[in-house]
Amino acid sequence: MNRVLHGAFRAAVLATILGCGVTSPQARAQRPLTGPRPGASPSESGGGDDNPFAPEPAPTLPPGMTGSDISDPRAALTAGLYDAGEGAVGIKHLMLFKKPDAFQLGTAEPDDPKVKQMLDRLGFSDTAKVPKPVQLLIAQLAFANSDLAFQGNHLFQGNFYGVTIYDISDPSKTTLLTSMVCPGGQGDVSVYKNLLFMSVEMPNGRLDCGTEGFPPEPPPEPGHEKERRLPAAQKDRFRGVRIFDISDIKKPKQVAAVQTCRGSHTHTLVIDPNDKNNAYIYVSGTSFVRQSEELAGCSGEKPDKDPNTALFRIDVIQVPLAAPQDAKVVSSPRVFIDARTGALNGLNSGGGIHGKSNNKPADTDQCHDITVYSAIGLAAGACSGNGILLDIKDPIHPKRVDAVNDPNYSYWHSASFSNDGTKVVFTDEWGGGLGARCRQNDPNRWGADAIFRLKDDKLSLTGYYKMPAAQADTENCVAHNGSLVPVPGRDIEVQAWYQGGISVMDFTDPVHPFEIAYFDRGPIDPKMLVLGGEWSAYWYNGFIYGSEIARGLDVFELTPTKFLTQNEIDAAKTVQVTELNVQNQQKLAWPERLVVAKAYLDQLSRSEALPPDQIAALRKGIETAEASHMNKGKVAKLKQMAPALDQSAAAAKDPADATRLRALADILKHPSA
């Protein structure tokens, strides 16, 4: 993919946009960007390796692996931007809020002056050998929707060009509050109290949020077109984490801009339960290291040449809550170090397959995404060639306690813990989100989830999960961002798969995860790969929100199926949080309410963990207590049922059922409506 562009733009922009886990262009309101049709000849496409849309043949399935299901209804959905065919099971699509005009390029014509203007702002001047459709692609990439954060009745949607804030007090009638233009990509956001944090990595970011970018670089000298060059140093360039005061939600005010050597591809909000005065930000930079002339102390050398290299580390920003303008980098932990030798490049990918016979191990020198779980003092880092486990009890000095790799994994992208902290789901963003990776012959362990058990600070692989439906050659599809759905008694995650849509996975049994619900659209274009789809899909206070790269913001609600009952959905809705930053995972707790008890009963009935007559008696007892408005006598009868459940829990063969039985008994001992 990176062979398509050369010079300063190749180094600076493709490294930030097309590399490692990003993204997709988005379509404009009427006609989105399209690349050459699959199977286009070199003359049609712009020529061989210079065509980023040149179709990759689906690999031959390795022994023991299967591909995606071509008979799934999702495989035959009709194409369209806002009128694509839709398919859903267990999910109701409530609304799509289309992208605001501020985040549209406003043209689908490669020769439109707006394309050249945007490329100039990105610092891309050498267009002679770049096909016009690719130029349009890059220009539109500057307006891609990215990640989501939540606070109260507000939703914050990142974009490569800024942030959009929505009012979700009535999710089915979501309304726009404000769009804040502030370019720099990729625009991932998090929020804490009155502060909003935003990642900036691309070289067009300016300290003042200006849209003018910087002067384009001069073309390379003849014969030097393929040499790697960095953009000229600029005193007003910003790459790092922006901090905004959102006390006035409609008028965010930038109060700090913390520069880092590689910029911030993503970041993670970290709240130390023992520190009330500060918030911390873990910065994951995946791009090129800027020159020291632009930011003092930056070096992109290998460790053997410079032990102070900005590679092979993350950065930790401390944010004083009373004075966020004083935020600064306070440490740069060497999380990849070999503790035995002291080598900074102590981890590597272990090689890989993915259809290539000459893959060699590559050093891991970056994290794409880090999910912290402060309640258990650990973080899971998805770090290009490895999944790592960090001890974060001292948040300024995280320490690696374990690392894993997997030959089935191309690029470790993101991570989620189970609520009890005994499992970790890692995603593999094979192809960086830019390619079709869910075709009939794409192996089901590539571009998938890998599920690990976590015990005594050690990770062990148990199984894989991939969205099962085959997708077309014209749909970018690979594992991407998701969050837990708080159904008590089960481990469930809702997850985005770009143009593979949204899939809801049950991984309670990590060896045998399975899909319980989905939503999908057909491709944007029936003949050409047009990049779009769901970047993130997160559950927040009873609803699912999807950040659609090309289209806008989706709002969904779960509906009952044979895999998920209404009682389970209602029980999940009892968990209400005041903020949600998915990479700062919170421990979920359920109230001792009878609706939660009914969810456990449905699960115990499904697994046949209790005799049918006992299930029926428990249901009747709960319904009678509810109908009596929690009459003391009826409640007393419920309490009398609890000891038998404790006894059943002690004898249960399935640990999940034992947990459900104990939880059900606890509710019946202290029930509330």
Side-chain angles (χ1 to χ4, degrees):
M1 183 68 70
N2 285 4
R3 288 176 293 176
V4 71
L5 299 178
H6 310 299
F9 187 69
R10 174 183 175 184
V13 179
L14 277 180
T16 54
I17 305 180
L18 302 184
C20 319
V22 196
T23 60
S24 319
Q26 54 307 314
R28 75 175 180 91
Q30 298 300 320
R31 178 169 160 250
L33 165 69
T34 58
R37 64 177 177 81
S41 67
S43 60
E44 243 182 297
S45 66
D49 288 343
D50 281 343
N51 173 24
F53 293 103
E56 295 181 51
T60 302
L61 291 172
M65 290 197 204
T66 59
S68 299
D69 183 2
I70 195 68
S71 67
D72 190 287
R74 284 167 280 183
L77 295 173
T78 57
L81 181 57
Y82 296 123
D83 58 349
E86 296 182 356
V89 170
I91 294 180
K92 181 180 180 181
H93 188 205
L94 299 180
M95 74 171 298
L96 167 66
F97 197 107
K98 294 181 182 179
K99 264 187 176 184
D101 290 342
F103 298 122
Q104 303 278 2
L105 176 61
T107 185
E109 301 303 326
D111 292 318
D112 191 297
K114 293 178 182 177
V115 174
K116 178 64 163 60
Q117 183 183 49
M118 180 51 64
L119 295 180
D120 285 346
R121 291 175 180 177
L122 291 169
F124 178 26
S125 59
D126 181 21
T127 62
K129 295 185 178 180
V130 181
K132 285 295 184 74
V134 179
Q135 295 181 35
L136 179 58
L137 160 64
I138 300 303
Q140 289 192 316
L141 268 168
F143 297 90
N145 279 335
S146 58
D147 214 358
L148 303 173
F150 305 82
Q151 184 183 72
N153 290 326
H154 299 140
L155 179 150
F156 303 81
Q157 184 177 35
N159 182 284
F160 278 55
Y161 213 64
V163 179
T164 301
I165 305 175
Y166 294 93
D167 183 331
I168 55 170
S169 50
D170 181 348
S172 65
K173 298 179 180 179
T174 292
T175 57
L176 177 67
L177 284 176
T178 190
S179 292
M180 179 182 69
V181 172
C182 188
Q186 85 182 13
D188 281 9
V189 290
S190 61
V191 61
Y192 184 64
K193 296 187 176 181
N194 67 315
L195 300 177
L196 173 71
F197 307 93
M198 182 171 69
S199 286
V200 181
E201 188 175 47
M202 290 168 58
N204 66 321
R206 296 181 60 91
L207 282 165
D208 61 359
C209 283
T211 60
E212 65 268 34
F214 296 96
E217 301 293 321
E221 296 293 329
H224 297 271
E225 291 86 356
K226 295 187 178 183
E227 291 181 5
R228 186 175 186 271
R229 299 187 300 152
L230 297 183
Q234 301 285 348
K235 63 181 178 62
D236 295 322
R237 177 173 284 130
F238 178 73
R239 298 174 66 219
V241 176
R242 300 189 192 273
I243 304 176
F244 297 90
D245 187 317
I246 53 170
S247 299
D248 183 346
I249 196 69
K250 293 185 178 181
K251 296 180 180 179
K253 178 182 177 182
Q254 184 169 286
V255 295
V258 183
Q259 300 268 21
T260 62
C261 290
R262 298 184 78 173
S264 175
H265 190 70
T266 68
H267 72 265
T268 303
L269 175 70
V270 185
I271 302 301
D272 181 358
N274 299 314
D275 185 352
K276 305 297 183 183
N277 299 319
N278 298 286
Y280 298 90
I281 301 292
Y282 287 177
V283 183
S284 297
T286 65
S287 185
F288 67 98
V289 178
R290 63 171 80 184
Q291 58 271 68
S292 59
E293 292 85 356
E294 187 169 280
L295 183 62
C298 293
S299 166
E301 297 287 355
K302 295 294 185 182
D304 57 346
K305 291 186 177 181
D306 185 356
N308 296 316
T309 177
L311 305 174
F312 303 99
R313 75 186 196 196
I314 63 172
D315 293 313
V316 179
I317 297 173
Q318 184 180 52
V319 184
L321 298 177
Q325 66 275 11
D326 296 333
K328 61 183 179 181
V329 175
V330 292
S331 70
S332 296
R334 296 293 188 182
V335 296
F336 309 115
I337 196 167
D338 186 327
R340 299 165 299 176
T341 66
L344 303 185
N345 54 338
L347 295 179
N348 63 60
S349 64
I353 47 176
H354 287 69
K356 297 180 181 179
S357 59
N358 60 346
N359 275 7
K360 296 180 180 179
D363 286 345
T364 294
D365 71 3
Q366 53 168 285
C367 284
H368 179 277
D369 219 321
I370 299 172
T371 296
V372 300
Y373 197 178
S374 296
I376 62 174
L378 294 174
C383 303
S384 63
N386 301 88
I388 68 174
L389 194 66
L390 300 172
D391 182 325
I392 60 165
K393 295 181 182 66
D394 177 355
I396 296 178
H397 303 289
K399 297 179 180 179
R400 191 180 83 244
V401 294
D402 197 20
V404 292
N405 57 33
D406 185 337
N408 290 310
Y409 261 41
S410 172
Y411 189 81
W412 296 69
H413 176 273
S414 53
S416 301
F417 290 89
S418 62
N419 189 55
D420 64 2
T422 64
K423 303 163 195 163
V424 180
V425 178
F426 285 102
T427 67
D428 171 24
E429 197 182 31
W430 172 31
L434 292 166
R437 293 292 188 269
C438 301
R439 298 162 295 180
Q440 184 178 12
N441 288 333
D442 287 322
N444 59 358
R445 293 183 182 180
W446 298 2
D449 298 334
I451 305 169
F452 288 77
R453 291 192 190 276
L454 172 56
K455 184 177 181 181
D456 298 328
D457 292 350
K458 295 295 181 183
L459 295 163
S460 58
L461 179 65
T462 59
Y464 298 91
Y465 172 80
K466 188 172 184 178
M467 187 275 294
Q471 301 287 288
D473 287 340
T474 55
E475 293 177 282
N476 55 308
C477 176
V478 73
H480 215 236
N481 294 351
S483 74
L484 296 185
V485 178
V487 173
R490 299 173 72 178
D491 293 317
I492 294 176
E493 177 159 335
V494 57
Q495 185 176 351
W497 292 79
Y498 288 115
Q499 285 201 72
I502 291 172
S503 181
V504 183
M505 166 189 67
D506 183 311
F507 64 103
T508 309
D509 177 354
V511 180
H512 301 105
F514 64 97
E515 184 174 65
I516 63 174
Y518 67 77
F519 170 84
D520 191 18
R521 292 183 175 96
I524 293 175
D525 189 277
K527 298 180 180 179
M528 309 177 194
L529 187 133
V530 178
L531 299 165
E534 304 289 352
W535 177 291
S536 308
Y538 297 150
W539 170 281
Y540 178 68
N541 291 348
F543 296 86
I544 293 168
Y545 299 88
S547 181
E548 218 291 349
I549 295 164
R551 297 175 173 95
L553 177 72
D554 282 313
V555 185
F556 305 95
E557 192 170 23
L558 288 177
T559 59
T561 68
K562 65 179 181 179
F563 300 114
L564 188 70
T565 67
Q566 188 63 54
N567 287 329
E568 289 176 298
I569 296 170
D570 292 342
K573 291 182 177 182
T574 67
V575 178
Q576 299 285 304
V577 297
T578 57
E579 288 180 349
L580 179 65
N581 303 288
V582 170
Q583 288 74 36
N584 177 28
Q585 192 165 327
Q586 303 175 51
K587 191 169 183 63
L588 305 173
W590 292 266
E592 292 183 332
R593 292 173 53 182
L594 291 182
V595 66
V596 179
K598 289 191 285 187
Y600 286 129
L601 265 183
D602 289 348
Q603 294 163 12
L604 294 167
S605 176
R606 187 184 295 125
S607 65
E608 299 180 348
L610 289 175
D613 58 343
Q614 188 176 4
I615 293 281
L618 286 162
R619 289 194 196 282
K620 183 176 181 180
I622 290 172
E623 292 169 1
T624 301
E626 288 178 322
S628 71
H629 303 288
M630 304 303 287
N631 173 274
K632 289 184 178 180
K634 305 301 182 184
V635 169
K637 289 185 178 180
L638 280 183
K639 293 181 178 179
Q640 292 171 7
M641 297 179 173
L645 294 172
D646 283 327
Q647 293 174 6
S648 296
K653 295 181 180 179
D654 184 342
D657 281 334
T659 299
R660 294 165 183 149
L661 286 161
R662 285 191 292 269
L664 176 58
D666 289 342
I667 294 175
L668 297 189
K669 293 170 188 175
H670 310 284
S672 64

